Amino acid sequence: MKTTLHTTQFRLALAAATLLLLAAVWLPAHADVPEAATHLAPLTADGCCTRPFWSEDSRQVLFIDKPDESAPAGIYGVETASPLQTALVTPRIALYSPGMDYVIDLQPGATTLERVADGTRWTVPAQGASVTISPGETRIAWSRGSASTGGGTSRIWIADLDGGNETQLAALNGASVSGWISDEALFISGRDAPNTLERVLYCLSVPDGTLTELARADNLRGQILSTDGSWVAYYVAPNPDPTVNGLWVARTDGSARFQVTPELFGSYQWRDDHRLLLIPLQFAATNHELWELDAATQETRLLHGPDDPAFKVNDGDWAVSPDGRKLVFVSARDHNLWLLTLPE
């Protein structure tokens, strides 16, 4: 299934924001562009679900559920064109690749891929480690070793999708794979030395193993790539230098990096190749706001809120559709799934 930073990111952001508040005054954010038109409507009833994710075609919201005692547990879905009509998609709850083309089966000492279309299974050389599949579905990547704060060398490996041509690309303290920037570049993190809080983000070239540094800081976390891999968003907190704390955006070619205005700090997800959606963490707010940041121009605009009582996201539980046109969230009011249609 599609992986996202939902509840974990929100809780980390909540802790970080508490620290940031000691050094910053939270003011209403200023819009560079006027608020755009949106549409909000419920998708489910009876408080059915949490941790929603999207089908690859952006037509269906998926979630794990067991509607009643007689119904099987499994992955259910609701079509955005037919709200309140949920149906079982598959009874198989598993770790899926984006698009649900492959199941990644992890067992002690063994990693197996299964093609969903025909059930073909094969073992890859990750030895029980989780793998991430390249955008073109031609390669896999994984790390093996220690990624803990205490350090220890981890090795970054790649192989063909069928497990052939296994190659070690890099060895770093506490290294881990965060995703694919492209079919030819990996997004990884590591440390210069063990037993340090400083983490470094890198672009790792697949053809030659070259490392390009993108960012470094104590307690750097929450890194997510834009849809085409050209940008990465991450946050820093707590840091000994208070001016470093907050949300940052960087180009993955290493050419640019900037800090997002602190009043927009909160939960964040990419909408497309360059637009970042943000729900600011405002402790006293009755309702939530949804903002959009254009990483290329650094312009911001308010997309929704703060006067809509229906827009209150529960525990950072929201997801953006692959086409960037819609957002689903778990409502803090009724614990149902709601659909927010976004403007261009």
Side-chain angles (χ1 to χ4, degrees), residues 210-223:
T210 301
L211 285 170
T212 300
E213 183 177 315
L214 308 179
R216 68 168 60 225
D218 284 6
N219 294 308
L220 184 158
R221 60 193 84 192
Q223 57 266 25

Side-chain angles (χ1 to χ4, degrees), residues 180-227:
W180 288 86
I181 292 172
S182 70
D183 286 325
E184 300 299 316
L186 276 169
F187 178 43
I188 71 168
S189 64
R191 294 180 169 87
D192 285 342
N195 301 307
T196 176
L197 294 177
E198 185 180 67
R199 181 161 283 277
V200 188
L201 302 182
Y202 296 102
C203 170
L204 173 60
S205 170
V206 170
D208 60 17
T210 301
L211 285 170
T212 300
E213 183 177 315
L214 308 179
R216 68 168 60 225
D218 284 6
N219 294 308
L220 184 158
R221 60 193 84 192
Q223 57 266 25
I224 51 173
L225 290 168
S226 62
T227 56

Side-chain angles (χ1 to χ4, degrees), residues 10-26:
F10 181 81
R11 288 171 179 167
L12 288 170
L14 179 64
T18 303
L19 293 162
L20 290 170
L21 282 170
L22 298 176
V25 177
W26 291 76

Side-chain angles (χ1 to χ4, degrees), residues 222-335:
Q223 57 266 25
I224 51 173
L225 290 168
S226 62
T227 56
D228 69 345
S230 60
W231 295 90
V232 57
Y234 62 93
Y235 76 92
V236 178
N239 191 278
D241 180 357
T243 65
V244 177
N245 285 325
L247 179 62
W248 292 78
V249 175
R251 285 199 64 91
T252 54
D253 62 4
S255 64
R257 182 173 69 247
F258 66 91
Q259 189 173 22
V260 178
T261 182
E263 56 263 34
L264 291 182
F265 183 85
S267 186
Y268 52 93
Q269 293 183 40
W270 287 98
R271 178 179 184 180
D272 54 25
D273 296 348
H274 61 97
R275 290 183 295 179
L276 185 68
L277 297 181
L278 309 105
I279 299 178
L281 188 59
Q282 298 169 331
F283 293 110
T286 303
N287 311 313
H288 280 145
E289 299 175 0
L290 178 69
W291 288 78
E292 179 182 271
L293 166 70
D294 188 320
T297 64
Q298 298 187 34
E299 290 185 340
T300 60
R301 63 170 175 165
L302 178 64
L303 297 185
H304 196 82
D307 299 322
D308 185 351
F311 188 56
K312 183 77 170 181
V313 181
N314 187 63
D315 203 18
D317 202 348
W318 58 293
V320 184
S321 62
D323 64 10
R325 297 177 179 176
K326 298 177 282 290
L327 179 155
V328 64
F329 67 95
V330 178
S331 169
R333 310 291 190 203
D334 60 15
H335 298 282

